[in-house]
């Protein structure tokens, strides 16, 4: 049972436009959500996170939105740049746990 | 500051052989994790260690053992490798009170 789902395996966007990556979860006990970025042959690197007490968190070009009632979060990248081309994973954790559940990833390609 | 290091970077094994994947972190983090990444499956947690001296199973622990040798080091052992264990293995660590995990560069394992 996939508790964290990224239903789009890939996404292509023109440089300068907005990239929207989506993530759905099923476990209502999750209270912290993170996005990681992964380049080929490297480990994932942390990008941005959001706590369940918020519905939005911004960091420069990156914004994460959380809709708790829909159990849905999204990552917006504006404007998209070729260097943003990577695989993006969303992850979720529950209060008091040490475990993270990752989605299957979305490969973003930003076209110059 | 090296962060999280993993050895080896790449390994080829024959079915039935054993090996140990090494991981070390220099950030004084309490929690450490082992994941495997497979195409279309995202990152799946194999084992984790919330603190020195403790280990717990993740989503896919079968066929693996772990040792938290000290606060810095967390090793993953395959006692009898199987082709199904062909994967990229990532180690990660996390500090107390932090939500962000820091990942190593990965070990690519091929079991023939």
């Amino acid at each position: 049972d996939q508790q964290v789902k990224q239903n789009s395996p890939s996404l292509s966007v023109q440089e300068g436009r907005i990239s929207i990556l989506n993530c759905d979860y099923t476990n209502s006990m999750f209270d912290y959500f993170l996005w990681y970025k992964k380049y080929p042959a490297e480990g994932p690197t942390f990008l941005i996170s959001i706590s369940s007490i918020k519905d939005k968190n911004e960091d420069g070009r990156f914004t994460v939105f959380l809709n708790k009632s829909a159990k849905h979060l999204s990552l917006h990248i504006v404007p998209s740049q070729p260097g943003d081309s990577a695989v993006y994973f969303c992850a979720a954790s529950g209060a008091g746990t040490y475990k993270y559940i990752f989605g299957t990833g979305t490969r973003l390609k930003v076209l110059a | 500051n090296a962060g999280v290091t993993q050895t080896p970077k790449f390994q080829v094994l024959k079915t039935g052989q054993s090996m140990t994947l090494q991981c070390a972190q220099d950030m004084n983090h309490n929690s450490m994790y082992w994941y495997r990444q497979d195409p279309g499956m995202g990152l799946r947690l194999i084992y984790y260690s919330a603190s020195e001296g403790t280990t717990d199973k993740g989503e896919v622990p079968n066929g693996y053992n772990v040792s938290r040798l000290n606060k810095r080091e967390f090793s993953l052992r395959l006692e009898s490798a199987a082709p199904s264990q062909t994967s990229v293995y990532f180690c990660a660590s996390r500090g107390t009170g932090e939500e962000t995990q820091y990942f190593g560069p990965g070990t690519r394992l091929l079991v023939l």
Side-chain angles (χ1 to χ4, degrees), chain B residues 25-39:
Chain B
Q25 52 91 9
D26 62 2
M27 295 174 283
N28 202 36
H29 286 170
N30 279 324
S31 302
M32 296 186 74
Y33 304 79
W34 277 105
Y35 293 89
R36 59 179 288 175
Q37 186 196 5
D38 302 293

PDB file of all heavy atoms in Angstrom, chain B residues 25-39:
ATOM      1  N   GLN B  25      28.917   9.298   9.223  1.00  0.00           N
ATOM      2  CA  GLN B  25      28.553  10.711   9.180  1.00  0.00           C
ATOM      3  C   GLN B  25      29.363  11.464  10.229  1.00  0.00           C
ATOM      4  O   GLN B  25      29.645  10.925  11.302  1.00  0.00           O
ATOM      5  CB  GLN B  25      27.036  10.910   9.366  1.00  0.00           C
ATOM      6  CG  GLN B  25      26.435  10.220  10.583  1.00  0.00           C
ATOM      7  CD  GLN B  25      26.391  11.042  11.846  1.00  0.00           C
ATOM      8  OE1 GLN B  25      26.660  12.246  11.834  1.00  0.00           O
ATOM      9  NE2 GLN B  25      26.043  10.391  12.957  1.00  0.00           N
ATOM     10  N   ASP B  26      29.692  12.702   9.907  1.00  0.00           N
ATOM     11  CA  ASP B  26      30.510  13.510  10.808  1.00  0.00           C
ATOM     12  C   ASP B  26      29.745  14.720  11.336  1.00  0.00           C
ATOM     13  O   ASP B  26      30.358  15.719  11.708  1.00  0.00           O
ATOM     14  CB  ASP B  26      31.799  13.932  10.115  1.00  0.00           C
ATOM     15  CG  ASP B  26      31.549  14.811   8.892  1.00  0.00           C
ATOM     16  OD1 ASP B  26      30.379  15.126   8.591  1.00  0.00           O
ATOM     17  OD2 ASP B  26      32.536  15.183   8.227  1.00  0.00           O
ATOM     18  N   MET B  27      28.425  14.635  11.357  1.00  0.00           N
ATOM     19  CA  MET B  27      27.598  15.757  11.798  1.00  0.00           C
ATOM     20  C   MET B  27      27.057  15.559  13.208  1.00  0.00           C
ATOM     21  O   MET B  27      26.196  16.324  13.648  1.00  0.00           O
ATOM     22  CB  MET B  27      26.451  15.937  10.796  1.00  0.00           C
ATOM     23  CG  MET B  27      26.954  16.341   9.420  1.00  0.00           C
ATOM     24  SD  MET B  27      25.656  16.395   8.165  1.00  0.00           S
ATOM     25  CE  MET B  27      25.445  14.661   7.818  1.00  0.00           C
ATOM     26  N   ASN B  28      27.525  14.521  13.897  1.00  0.00           N
ATOM     27  CA  ASN B  28      27.088  14.225  15.263  1.00  0.00           C
ATOM     28  C   ASN B  28      25.573  13.962  15.343  1.00  0.00           C
ATOM     29  O   ASN B  28      24.929  14.281  16.342  1.00  0.00           O
ATOM     30  CB  ASN B  28      27.465  15.375  16.218  1.00  0.00           C
ATOM     31  CG  ASN B  28      27.529  14.913  17.662  1.00  0.00           C
ATOM     32  OD1 ASN B  28      27.940  13.784  17.953  1.00  0.00           O
ATOM     33  ND2 ASN B  28      27.114  15.774  18.571  1.00  0.00           N
ATOM     34  N   HIS B  29      25.035  13.376  14.280  1.00  0.00           N
ATOM     35  CA  HIS B  29      23.606  13.080  14.239  1.00  0.00           C
ATOM     36  C   HIS B  29      23.288  11.807  15.010  1.00  0.00           C
ATOM     37  O   HIS B  29      24.058  10.836  14.988  1.00  0.00           O
ATOM     38  CB  HIS B  29      23.143  12.909  12.791  1.00  0.00           C
ATOM     39  CG  HIS B  29      23.047  14.209  12.057  1.00  0.00           C
ATOM     40  ND1 HIS B  29      22.841  14.266  10.691  1.00  0.00           N
ATOM     41  CD2 HIS B  29      23.102  15.496  12.486  1.00  0.00           C
ATOM     42  CE1 HIS B  29      22.775  15.526  10.328  1.00  0.00           C
ATOM     43  NE2 HIS B  29      22.942  16.296  11.391  1.00  0.00           N
ATOM     44  N   ASN B  30      22.129  11.805  15.650  1.00  0.00           N
ATOM     45  CA  ASN B  30      21.716  10.613  16.390  1.00  0.00           C
ATOM     46  C   ASN B  30      21.094   9.544  15.490  1.00  0.00           C
ATOM     47  O   ASN B  30      21.293   8.358  15.704  1.00  0.00           O
ATOM     48  CB  ASN B  30      20.702  10.984  17.474  1.00  0.00           C
ATOM     49  CG  ASN B  30      21.378  11.538  18.713  1.00  0.00           C
ATOM     50  OD1 ASN B  30      22.457  11.099  19.087  1.00  0.00           O
ATOM     51  ND2 ASN B  30      20.752  12.510  19.337  1.00  0.00           N
ATOM     52  N   SER B  31      20.300   9.966  14.516  1.00  0.00           N
ATOM     53  CA  SER B  31      19.536   9.009  13.710  1.00  0.00           C
ATOM     54  C   SER B  31      20.221   8.732  12.378  1.00  0.00           C
ATOM     55  O   SER B  31      20.729   9.656  11.727  1.00  0.00           O
ATOM     56  CB  SER B  31      18.129   9.546  13.429  1.00  0.00           C
ATOM     57  OG  SER B  31      17.453   9.811  14.636  1.00  0.00           O
ATOM     58  N   MET B  32      20.197   7.463  11.995  1.00  0.00           N
ATOM     59  CA  MET B  32      20.766   7.076  10.702  1.00  0.00           C
ATOM     60  C   MET B  32      19.829   6.085  10.027  1.00  0.00           C
ATOM     61  O   MET B  32      19.061   5.370  10.683  1.00  0.00           O
ATOM     62  CB  MET B  32      22.164   6.474  10.879  1.00  0.00           C
ATOM     63  CG  MET B  32      23.162   7.489  11.447  1.00  0.00           C
ATOM     64  SD  MET B  32      24.842   6.901  11.533  1.00  0.00           S
ATOM     65  CE  MET B  32      25.342   6.941   9.794  1.00  0.00           C
ATOM     66  N   TYR B  33      19.899   6.047   8.677  1.00  0.00           N
ATOM     67  CA  TYR B  33      18.926   5.307   7.870  1.00  0.00           C
ATOM     68  C   TYR B  33      19.620   4.620   6.699  1.00  0.00           C
ATOM     69  O   TYR B  33      20.606   5.125   6.167  1.00  0.00           O
ATOM     70  CB  TYR B  33      17.880   6.271   7.286  1.00  0.00           C
ATOM     71  CG  TYR B  33      17.154   7.112   8.305  1.00  0.00           C
ATOM     72  CD1 TYR B  33      17.762   8.246   8.860  1.00  0.00           C
ATOM     73  CD2 TYR B  33      15.855   6.802   8.705  1.00  0.00           C
ATOM     74  CE1 TYR B  33      17.106   9.024   9.790  1.00  0.00           C
ATOM     75  CE2 TYR B  33      15.190   7.586   9.636  1.00  0.00           C
ATOM     76  CZ  TYR B  33      15.823   8.686  10.172  1.00  0.00           C
ATOM     77  OH  TYR B  33      15.157   9.470  11.094  1.00  0.00           O
ATOM     78  N   TRP B  34      19.044   3.500   6.278  1.00  0.00           N
ATOM     79  CA  TRP B  34      19.417   2.866   5.018  1.00  0.00           C
ATOM     80  C   TRP B  34      18.182   2.742   4.142  1.00  0.00           C
ATOM     81  O   TRP B  34      17.139   2.245   4.574  1.00  0.00           O
ATOM     82  CB  TRP B  34      19.997   1.464   5.235  1.00  0.00           C
ATOM     83  CG  TRP B  34      21.440   1.461   5.573  1.00  0.00           C
ATOM     84  CD1 TRP B  34      22.028   1.235   6.772  1.00  0.00           C
ATOM     85  CD2 TRP B  34      22.524   1.689   4.653  1.00  0.00           C
ATOM     86  NE1 TRP B  34      23.391   1.319   6.677  1.00  0.00           N
ATOM     87  CE2 TRP B  34      23.725   1.588   5.377  1.00  0.00           C
ATOM     88  CE3 TRP B  34      22.592   1.960   3.286  1.00  0.00           C
ATOM     89  CZ2 TRP B  34      24.974   1.757   4.797  1.00  0.00           C
ATOM     90  CZ3 TRP B  34      23.830   2.133   2.699  1.00  0.00           C
ATOM     91  CH2 TRP B  34      25.006   2.023   3.450  1.00  0.00           C
ATOM     92  N   TYR B  35      18.314   3.209   2.891  1.00  0.00           N
ATOM     93  CA  TYR B  35      17.262   3.124   1.880  1.00  0.00           C
ATOM     94  C   TYR B  35      17.796   2.390   0.661  1.00  0.00           C
ATOM     95  O   TYR B  35      18.985   2.366   0.400  1.00  0.00           O
ATOM     96  CB  TYR B  35      16.839   4.520   1.410  1.00  0.00           C
ATOM     97  CG  TYR B  35      16.141   5.382   2.423  1.00  0.00           C
ATOM     98  CD1 TYR B  35      16.864   6.218   3.264  1.00  0.00           C
ATOM     99  CD2 TYR B  35      14.750   5.392   2.522  1.00  0.00           C
ATOM    100  CE1 TYR B  35      16.229   7.030   4.189  1.00  0.00           C
ATOM    101  CE2 TYR B  35      14.100   6.207   3.442  1.00  0.00           C
ATOM    102  CZ  TYR B  35      14.853   7.017   4.260  1.00  0.00           C
ATOM    103  OH  TYR B  35      14.209   7.834   5.167  1.00  0.00           O
ATOM    104  N   ARG B  36      16.861   1.859  -0.106  1.00  0.00           N
ATOM    105  CA  ARG B  36      17.202   1.393  -1.438  1.00  0.00           C
ATOM    106  C   ARG B  36      16.308   2.110  -2.441  1.00  0.00           C
ATOM    107  O   ARG B  36      15.150   2.439  -2.149  1.00  0.00           O
ATOM    108  CB  ARG B  36      17.063  -0.123  -1.577  1.00  0.00           C
ATOM    109  CG  ARG B  36      15.713  -0.707  -1.306  1.00  0.00           C
ATOM    110  CD  ARG B  36      15.710  -2.234  -1.513  1.00  0.00           C
ATOM    111  NE  ARG B  36      15.790  -2.592  -2.923  1.00  0.00           N
ATOM    112  CZ  ARG B  36      15.910  -3.844  -3.376  1.00  0.00           C
ATOM    113  NH1 ARG B  36      15.968  -4.857  -2.526  1.00  0.00           N
ATOM    114  NH2 ARG B  36      15.973  -4.085  -4.673  1.00  0.00           N
ATOM    115  N   GLN B  37      16.893   2.390  -3.606  1.00  0.00           N
ATOM    116  CA  GLN B  37      16.130   3.054  -4.657  1.00  0.00           C
ATOM    117  C   GLN B  37      16.082   2.162  -5.877  1.00  0.00           C
ATOM    118  O   GLN B  37      17.130   1.765  -6.409  1.00  0.00           O
ATOM    119  CB  GLN B  37      16.754   4.400  -5.044  1.00  0.00           C
ATOM    120  CG  GLN B  37      15.879   5.151  -6.040  1.00  0.00           C
ATOM    121  CD  GLN B  37      16.577   6.282  -6.760  1.00  0.00           C
ATOM    122  OE1 GLN B  37      17.779   6.489  -6.613  1.00  0.00           O
ATOM    123  NE2 GLN B  37      15.824   7.033  -7.532  1.00  0.00           N
ATOM    124  N   ASP B  38      14.886   1.862  -6.311  1.00  0.00           N
ATOM    125  CA  ASP B  38      14.670   1.048  -7.499  1.00  0.00           C
ATOM    126  C   ASP B  38      13.781   1.810  -8.469  1.00  0.00           C
ATOM    127  O   ASP B  38      12.929   2.593  -8.046  1.00  0.00           O
ATOM    128  CB  ASP B  38      13.996  -0.273  -7.107  1.00  0.00           C
ATOM    129  CG  ASP B  38      14.818  -1.055  -6.102  1.00  0.00           C
ATOM    130  OD1 ASP B  38      15.904  -1.507  -6.487  1.00  0.00           O
ATOM    131  OD2 ASP B  38      14.382  -1.178  -4.944  1.00  0.00           O
ATOM    132  N   PRO B  39      13.940   1.572  -9.765  1.00  0.00           N
ATOM    133  CA  PRO B  39      13.128   2.288 -10.764  1.00  0.00           C
ATOM    134  C   PRO B  39      11.639   2.124 -10.489  1.00  0.00           C
ATOM    135  O   PRO B  39      11.151   1.006 -10.288  1.00  0.00           O
ATOM    136  CB  PRO B  39      13.534   1.611 -12.080  1.00  0.00           C
ATOM    137  CG  PRO B  39      14.900   1.075 -11.825  1.00  0.00           C
ATOM    138  CD  PRO B  39      14.912   0.661 -10.380  1.00  0.00           C
TER     139      PRO B  39
END
